Amino acid sequence: MPEFGVERDIAIYNKLLDVFPKEVFVPQNFIQRMFNHYPRQQECGVQLLEQMENYGITPNVETKVLLAQIFGEKSHPMRKYQRIMYWFPRFKHTNPFPVPHVLPSDPVELARFSLTRIADDPDAKVTIYQYPSTDITETGQEVTRPHILGIQSPDQRSLLAKHNPCRPVYVEGPFPLWLRKTCVHYFLLKADPIPPEEKVEEDFDRELIGPEQSLFYPQRVELDLERDIGDDESFSVDDVEEGLVYAMCMAGQGDQATLSQWISGLQETCPILGQIPTVFRLESGPRELQTSSDAQQTPEQEVEIDQIIEDEPQRSQRVNQ
């Protein structure tokens, strides 16, 4: 069904159910119902409903009528149908950030959707630094320019402006992000954790009462709210501090030259970035997995396989002897 693109069509599932003969698999008494009347046919109907459940397809009234005519009201496929109709309406819209079934085909729109999904700040702004294009040089050579999109929030911009110019920032990636069956990759501009000697604590006026401090809603509470009465004090967990993330981006290519254009675009809004050394810590790009049909054998592998095939008759002769 996925090969023909009909895995989400409820009419196709109803047509498949209509193939079953009617009123043949319906149990006539409690003994047949107890011993699972026509078990293989009922398993086939349950598997069909499970595939509908995996693809998020809600059965309709026609599905219920077909199941009642084929297997009866007290069969396993009918119970599966009842469970699906009980849970699907309750969990269908529980995800506040749903992913559409059909993703944008344009790489720029797909990158925009992915970046806004990663960013946890609604005020974050997506900036397009470069659109995908193809230029032809004077020599007739085609030069392809990948797309470059970045996202940055006002808080990240202010934190980057306060960054110590003596400490470098790092461009790390690529990191995978799965959107259903599509995998995209993004890059981070981040810094190392701030050393304890450079941390500056904000002054807190305990006697301040007003819109910033209230007796009912204080800014600071001198209580360990994470502890409970039955907690074991001898057990402790070390909190690992992470560096600040200043920006994120997605690009058509993950090489240093392309990401350097992203850093140059960030310098327009954050001029201090031109004084901060930037270190690229890039990993190898994603590689496609080769299947058994797509994999090609090298001449060395073919020679090894031929040697193994020649050795197998000799080993069989030794075993016979």
Side-chain angles (χ1 to χ4, degrees):
M1 295 179 70
E3 183 179 356
F4 293 96
V6 294
E7 70 276 7
R8 301 186 184 277
D9 193 352
I10 183 62
I12 302 299
Y13 289 99
N14 292 334
K15 290 293 183 181
L16 292 175
L17 284 175
D18 198 15
V19 176
F20 285 96
K22 309 302 185 293
E23 299 180 358
V24 177
F25 309 137
V26 179
Q28 303 298 328
N29 49 54
F30 73 95
I31 297 178
Q32 292 180 353
R33 190 180 303 115
M34 180 174 58
F35 284 97
N36 196 7
H37 197 51
Y38 286 94
R40 298 300 297 273
Q41 285 76 9
Q42 292 195 44
E43 290 175 3
C44 183
V46 171
Q47 290 178 2
L48 186 66
L49 293 172
E50 285 181 352
Q51 182 170 333
M52 296 175 61
E53 182 182 9
N54 294 334
Y55 285 107
I57 307 301
T58 305
N60 54 13
V61 180
E62 184 181 357
T63 308
K64 179 181 179 181
V65 173
L66 288 172
L67 292 175
Q69 293 178 355
I70 299 169
F71 301 106
E73 295 288 343
K74 300 296 183 178
S75 59
H76 291 288
M78 182 58 72
R79 291 180 181 177
K80 181 66 177 179
Y81 165 82
Q82 294 172 352
R83 294 188 180 103
I84 291 176
M85 296 305 295
Y86 178 83
W87 290 110
F88 262 37
R90 287 165 172 76
F91 292 103
K92 188 174 183 179
H93 302 288
T94 54
N95 187 5
F97 308 102
V99 180
H101 293 290
V102 180
L103 295 174
S105 58
D106 186 10
V108 177
E109 295 299 327
L110 181 61
R112 185 196 298 272
F113 173 77
S114 304
L115 289 175
T116 53
R117 187 175 179 82
I118 299 173
D120 59 347
D121 192 347
D123 297 331
K125 181 181 178 182
V126 178
T127 305
I128 302 176
Y129 298 100
Q130 183 173 285
Y131 283 94
S133 60
T134 303
D135 297 337
I136 300 177
T137 60
E138 298 178 355
T139 59
Q141 183 180 3
E142 293 184 357
V143 178
T144 302
R145 295 181 179 180
H147 64 276
I148 304 174
L149 279 79
I151 189 170
Q152 192 178 34
S153 64
D155 294 339
Q156 290 176 326
R157 193 176 297 110
S158 61
L159 289 173
L160 182 58
K162 299 177 183 178
H163 184 80
N164 187 3
C166 299
R167 303 183 64 84
V169 292
Y170 303 93
V171 178
E172 297 182 354
F175 300 101
L177 172 66
W178 283 95
L179 301 173
R180 296 193 182 275
K181 294 184 178 181
T182 303
C183 181
V184 294
H185 297 81
Y186 63 95
F187 299 87
L188 299 178
L189 177 65
K190 61 180 300 185
D192 287 334
I194 302 176
E197 60 272 8
E198 295 186 7
K199 290 184 178 180
V200 179
E201 295 184 359
E202 298 181 357
D203 296 335
F204 179 74
D205 189 0
R206 298 179 181 274
E207 298 181 357
L208 179 63
I209 298 178
E212 299 179 0
Q213 177 71 10
S214 174
L215 293 175
F216 300 100
Y217 303 100
Q219 287 185 348
R220 181 177 297 180
V221 180
E222 300 295 337
L223 296 175
D224 191 0
L225 299 179
E226 297 181 356
R227 288 183 53 190
D228 200 355
I229 298 176
D231 290 347
D232 187 5
E233 298 181 359
S234 61
F235 181 77
S236 61
V237 179
D238 295 334
D239 295 332
V240 180
E241 295 185 1
E242 293 287 342
L244 297 175
V245 177
Y246 294 133
M248 293 180 292
C249 91
M250 284 188 176
Q253 296 179 2
D255 54 350
Q256 183 173 343
T258 303
L259 297 177
S260 298
Q261 298 180 12
W262 171 49
I263 300 299
S264 301
L266 285 175
Q267 293 180 7
E268 298 179 1
T269 56
C270 303
I272 193 176
L273 191 58
Q275 306 174 7
I276 302 174
T278 304
V279 181
F280 292 85
R281 296 192 294 195
L282 305 177
E283 299 178 358
S284 59
R287 300 179 180 179
E288 297 181 357
L289 297 178
Q290 292 184 354
T291 59
S292 58
S293 60
D294 298 336
Q296 297 180 357
Q297 299 177 355
T298 60
E300 297 179 356
Q301 293 177 348
E302 293 179 356
V303 172
E304 293 178 359
I305 292 175
D306 293 338
Q307 292 179 357
I308 293 174
I309 294 175
E310 292 178 356
D311 293 343
E312 284 180 356
Q314 297 179 3
R315 294 177 182 176
S316 60
Q317 291 178 3
R318 295 175 184 176
V319 171
N320 294 332
Q321 292 177 0

